[in-house]
């Protein structure tokens, strides 16, 4: 099973060795509540187990869990109460989910997991080096270098959302603060509007105008800066941008990103191309399931043949 603890949603999916997602359960919330989310996830897992035949139950090997590395560091930014900070600081998410479900569980950073899902979705021959941006409540990310998914010793992904960009007022800030749905939330609040409930893919985005268009434009500018900053450090072939947003909104975001990339002159190397991702909102849960199977049956490294 692939499980995601997201900032605004949870997801549980059943994935097989042939690369098929067999079932999915998704639920939205205002923030991940440490006092109840593991019981809620265990209930979702049990729903899926109850639907399996005895033979398939024997084939269920475990859970790949995708979650942010530092939930405690940002939960107040999305409206979580202060007591959640200390609760999340002390939680081993993999151990807690394993105890709640009785299934072996491995944790993966959500950005790394989503990037891995994108690697496997790329057509052959796969690109050997690219940057991945996942626009959600914050900007998840990952980097593939020489056919390998990069991670630091703690298991954290490349935090491309922390690249410094210009905010709407021109002051330096993080890409997280401009190109994320959390940034859109702040714009809506300032305009006297409220973020819709439920999943962003299902929002009435026309009702969010003109705030949505202003956010898309600023997010595109920030992502263009982040792409070129990444290119300055790593010779990426391209940047893949995806998100938990409708494909029509993603297309507009990519158009703005490409527009602002074109306004920055080439220095030595040409600008990388920008492409949409294909895994969309289920990328993290899918990648976590894939990584669990990959590590169990194929390799402990995160290197994947790309040709």
């Amino acid at each position: 099973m692939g499980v995601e603890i997201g900032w605004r949603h949870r997801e549980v999916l059943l994935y097989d060795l042939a690369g098929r997602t067999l079932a999915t359960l998704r639920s939205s919330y205002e923030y991940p509540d440490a006092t109840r989310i593991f019981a809620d996830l265990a209930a979702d897992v049990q729903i899926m187990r109850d639907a399996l035949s005895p033979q398939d139950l024997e084939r269920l090997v475990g859970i790949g869990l995708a979650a942010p590395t530092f939930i405690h560091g940002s939960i107040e930014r999305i409206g979580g109460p202060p007591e959640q900070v200390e609760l999340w600081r002390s939680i081993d998410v993999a151990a807690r989910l394993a105890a709640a479900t009785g299934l072996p569980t491995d944790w993966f950073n959500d950005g790394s997991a989503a990037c891995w899902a994108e690697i496997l979705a790329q057509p052959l021959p796969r690109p050997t080096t690219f940057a991945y941006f996942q626009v959600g409540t914050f900007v998840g990310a990952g980097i593939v270098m020489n056919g390998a998914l990069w991670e630091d010793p703690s298991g954290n992904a490349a935090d491309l959302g922390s690249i410094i960009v210009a905010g709407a007022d021109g002051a330096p800030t993080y890409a997280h603060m401009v190109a994320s749905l959390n940034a859109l939330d702040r714009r809506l609040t300032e305009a006297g509007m409220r973020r819709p409930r439920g999943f962003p893919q299902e929002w009435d985005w026309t009702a969010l105008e003109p705030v949505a268009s202003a956010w898309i434009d600023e997010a595109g500018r920030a992502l263009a800066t982040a792409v070129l900053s990444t290119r300055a450090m790593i010779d990426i072939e391209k940047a893949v941008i995806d998100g938990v947003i409708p494909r029509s909104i993603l297309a507009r975001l990519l158009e703005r990103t490409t527009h602002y990339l074109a306004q920055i002159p080439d220095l030595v190397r040409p600008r990388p191309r920008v492409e949409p991702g294909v895994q969309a909102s289920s990328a993290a849960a899918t990648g976590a399931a894939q990584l669990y199977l990959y590590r169990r049956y194929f390799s402990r490294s995160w290197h994947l043949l790309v040709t």
Side-chain angles (χ1 to χ4, degrees):
M1 290 187 182
V3 171
E4 181 190 8
I5 298 176
W7 292 108
R8 300 285 191 190
H9 74 272
R10 69 178 190 267
E11 180 169 7
V12 176
L13 58 80
L14 187 65
Y15 192 85
D16 72 8
L17 202 58
R20 299 173 298 186
T21 298
L22 306 178
T24 303
L25 288 172
R26 288 171 59 87
S27 300
S28 64
Y29 43 64
E30 289 302 304
Y31 64 89
D33 185 344
T35 66
R36 60 174 296 174
I37 191 167
F38 296 100
D40 290 340
L41 286 169
D44 291 343
V45 167
Q46 191 59 48
I47 288 171
M48 290 198 174
R49 294 172 83 169
D50 289 344
L52 294 175
S53 68
Q55 182 182 27
D56 284 340
L57 273 174
E58 292 181 0
R59 295 173 176 170
L60 184 58
V61 294
I63 295 173
L65 170 61
T69 304
F70 304 110
I71 295 178
H72 67 275
S74 293
I75 195 162
E76 286 187 286
R77 293 183 184 275
I78 63 168
E83 58 267 23
Q84 290 285 324
V85 175
E86 292 307 314
L87 287 173
W88 278 111
R89 191 193 305 274
S90 62
I91 287 177
D92 179 331
V93 291
R96 284 288 297 274
L97 189 58
T101 62
L103 290 169
T105 302
D106 286 347
W107 169 81
F108 306 99
N109 173 269
D110 54 349
S112 290
C115 186
W116 184 265
E118 189 64 36
I119 295 172
L120 294 189
Q122 292 284 314
L124 294 174
R126 296 185 177 100
T128 59
T129 307
F130 68 89
Y132 173 81
F133 297 84
Q134 173 83 341
V135 177
T137 302
F138 299 105
V139 181
I143 289 178
V144 177
M145 292 190 296
N146 300 320
L149 181 65
W150 181 90
E151 65 167 343
D152 71 13
S154 69
N156 199 21
D159 188 7
L160 304 182
S162 290
I163 287 175
I164 299 299
V165 301
D169 59 358
T173 186
Y174 298 110
H176 286 302
M177 301 297 105
V178 181
S180 65
L181 292 179
N182 190 51
L184 174 60
D185 290 351
R186 293 198 310 273
R187 282 180 170 270
L188 291 171
T189 299
E190 292 167 0
M193 303 168 68
R194 297 186 62 183
R195 175 177 55 86
R197 291 185 176 275
F199 303 112
Q201 303 94 318
E202 300 169 0
W203 292 352
D204 178 4
W205 283 77
T206 58
L208 304 182
E209 296 294 356
V211 177
S213 288
W215 170 73
I216 290 169
D217 186 70
E218 288 298 325
R221 185 195 298 270
L223 287 170
T225 300
V227 167
L228 280 188
S229 295
T230 305
R231 179 71 161 85
M233 297 179 289
I234 303 166
D235 190 15
I236 57 174
E237 301 174 46
K238 64 179 179 179
V240 175
I241 299 177
D242 211 336
V244 294
I245 53 180
R247 305 312 280 182
S248 59
I249 301 299
L250 179 65
R252 292 172 60 188
L253 181 59
L254 261 67
E255 186 278 325
R256 289 287 84 193
T257 303
T258 303
H259 168 80
Y260 284 114
L261 272 173
Q263 291 189 358
I264 304 172
D266 291 336
L267 184 58
V268 176
R269 296 175 293 183
R271 290 177 292 269
R273 66 186 187 276
V274 177
E275 297 179 359
V278 298
Q279 288 292 343
S281 59
S282 291
T286 301
Q290 292 168 338
L291 280 167
Y292 188 95
L293 290 172
Y294 187 73
R295 285 190 163 188
R296 181 181 176 96
Y297 293 110
F298 299 102
S299 174
R300 292 296 298 175
S301 76
W302 288 27
H303 189 278
L304 183 69
L305 293 177
V306 296
T307 56

